[in-house]
Every structure is written in C-alpha cells, then in structure tokens.
C-alpha cells in the first residue's frame, strides 16, 4: 500500500474513532482494514498515557454473547489488563463481516493465517496513529483460533512491510499449532508465550510442544506452559466443565471437545501474562 493511501486510511480511522460510544467500561470503535471497516472494542486505562497496548484476538465464537453483551472472557481480560495500565483493542473479525460463530464451520472465509493476520496488522497501525499509545509497546494476545493467528502473525516471513515499530511480543492461549508445526519455514521473530492445558482435546498440547521445542533449538524465544488437568477455555472466568459437540474440528475427530475453567491454571496464567507483557 502506498504511503498516501495508508495515511488516508489512518485519518479515516481516527475520524471514525470520534463517533465511538462508551459502554460497560469500553468503547466501540471502527478502524480501516484491507476489505472495509473493522469494528472493535477498546479498553483504555485512566490517564493521558501514552500506554502500552495489547491487540487481543477472539476465538471461533467471536467477541459477543447471544444477548449482545461482550463475552465474559473478553470483558474479564479487557478490564484486568486496563487496570494494569494497558490499552486493549479487540478487533471483531467475524461481526465486522456479518458472520456469527465459526466454531462449526469447516471452510472458513476468515482464516487465522490470512484475514485475521491482516486484521491484527490493521489494529497495530490504528493504535500507532494515536498519541495515547506507545507505538513500540504493542503486544499480541489471542485465544484458540485467535491464538493460531498469533502463531501466523509472528513468523519471520510475515514481518510488517510498513516502517512503524513491529509488535513487541505475543501470547497464545490454546492455539492450534499443527499448521505451523507442519510448515518447513516457520520461524518466530518475536518472543512468544503459549499457554495450554494437557487435557485439551480441541487444540491438543502435543503439536505445540513439538513446535516450541524446535523453535527453542533454533534459539527462538518461545516459552510453552502446559497446565496439568486443564482443558480448553481454562482461563474463562466461570465456564462450567462441559462437552461441546458443535465444533468443526477436534483432536478426536468426532467434532466434540470438553471445555471449562480451571481456577489454578487461570490464576497462574493471569500472573504470567501480566509479567510477560511488562517484561523488557
């Protein structure tokens, strides 16, 4: 994209921001992306800034609950990280494109390794145009499908083409690691922390273990944490353990997986995420 065109997109995005509506501790904002405006949620700490920031990417269920409220996982993390001094921007990759949950969809039109990587890049550009954001301290965080996007976005061959500062680091909760594991060209350019449960039967830990070990052997800064007894969604504030049967892919091949909160793993992950984001 040419510099004038990029500048125009940024200016349009800033103009759109002025129409954001505050609700529930966050703002509804819009930003330009490659295929149209991208809706997002912004949590902002108190004070003038500039603040470090986090681009947080939802999983296959999207940002919103059926009642139109922000999902508990996203509101919990947004409020928590804002209280720690981070601005948190959550792009709505599905709702912006008039799509609902994609958990049961086999042929995705908004893919983790393509469209969602572009959404993350658009979010970074939008944040870096703001005077209340530190442009060199923008991290990535994602859950499940959003975590898979983190793995694709931090590859060395996906380095941003613009002249702005790159993302500082990445955090992936229970991503699907098999695609990157099977890629002969995967190399991480950023520090990355992966958080998994050893009983996850939706996105199992084993491929991530192999991916992290190979990356570490190459000298890449990838840290893998696997929690004993934890399932997919272990960091959710209060998700009762249950079996889901509405998913397109699972480790067992049955379309079923067990999900639920693990309080001990959740508490440890919260502490690790805070420390990792505040690190050098």
């Amino acid at each position: 994209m040419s510099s004038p065109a990029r500048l125009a997109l940024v200016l349009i995005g800033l103009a759109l921001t002025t129409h954001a509506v505050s609700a529930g501790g966050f703002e509804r904002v819009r930003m330009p992306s490659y295929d149209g405006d991208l809706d997002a949620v912004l949590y902002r700490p108190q004070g003038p800034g500039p603040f470090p920031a986090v681009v947080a990417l939802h999983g296959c269920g999207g940002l919103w609950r059926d009642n139109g409220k922000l999902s508990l996982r996203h509101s919990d993390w947004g409020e928590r990280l804002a209280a720690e001094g981070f601005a948190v921007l959550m792009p709505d990759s599905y709702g912006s494109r008039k799509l609902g949950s994609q958990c049961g969809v086999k042929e995705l039109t908004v893919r983790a390794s393509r469209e969602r990587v572009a959404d993350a890049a658009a979010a970074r550009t939008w944040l870096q145009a703001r005077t209340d954001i530190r442009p060199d301290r923008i991290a990535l965080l994602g859950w499940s499908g959003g975590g898979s996007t983190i793995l694709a976005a931090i590859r060395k061959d996906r380095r941003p083409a613009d002249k702005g500062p790159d993302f500082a680091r990445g955090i992936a909760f229970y991503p699907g690691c098999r695609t990157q594991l099977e890629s002969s060209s995967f190399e991480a350019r950023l520090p990355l922390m992966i958080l998994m449960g050893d009983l996850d039967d939706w996105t199992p830990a084993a491929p991530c273990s192999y991916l992290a070990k190979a990356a570490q052997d190459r000298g890449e800064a990838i840290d893998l944490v696997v929690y004993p007894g934890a399932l997919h969604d272990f960091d959710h504030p209060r998700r009762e353990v249950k079996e889901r049967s509405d998913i397109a892919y699972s480790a067992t091949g049955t379309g079923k997986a067990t999900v639920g909160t693990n309080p001990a793993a959740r508490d440890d992950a919260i502490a690790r995420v805070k420390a990792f984001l505040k690190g050098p």
Side-chain angles (χ1 to χ4, degrees), residues 119-170:
D119 288 351
R124 177 182 61 83
T125 299
W126 186 83
L127 284 168
Q128 288 174 339
R130 294 175 61 104
T131 58
D132 61 346
I133 300 297
R134 290 187 55 181
D136 60 334
R137 289 295 303 273
I138 300 176
L140 281 164
L141 186 153
W143 298 270
S144 196
S148 300
T149 299
I150 305 301
L151 299 184
I154 64 151
R155 290 172 57 108
K156 285 186 177 179
D157 56 8
R158 302 296 290 273
R159 192 181 302 275
D162 63 40
K163 295 182 180 180
D166 197 356
F167 288 110
R169 56 192 58 216

Side-chain angles (χ1 to χ4, degrees), residues 249-275:
Y249 298 101
S250 64
T252 61
T254 62
K256 298 179 180 180
T258 307
V259 301
T261 302
N262 183 299
R266 168 180 155 80
D267 289 346
D268 185 81
I270 289 170
R272 287 180 185 270
V273 166
K274 291 178 181 178

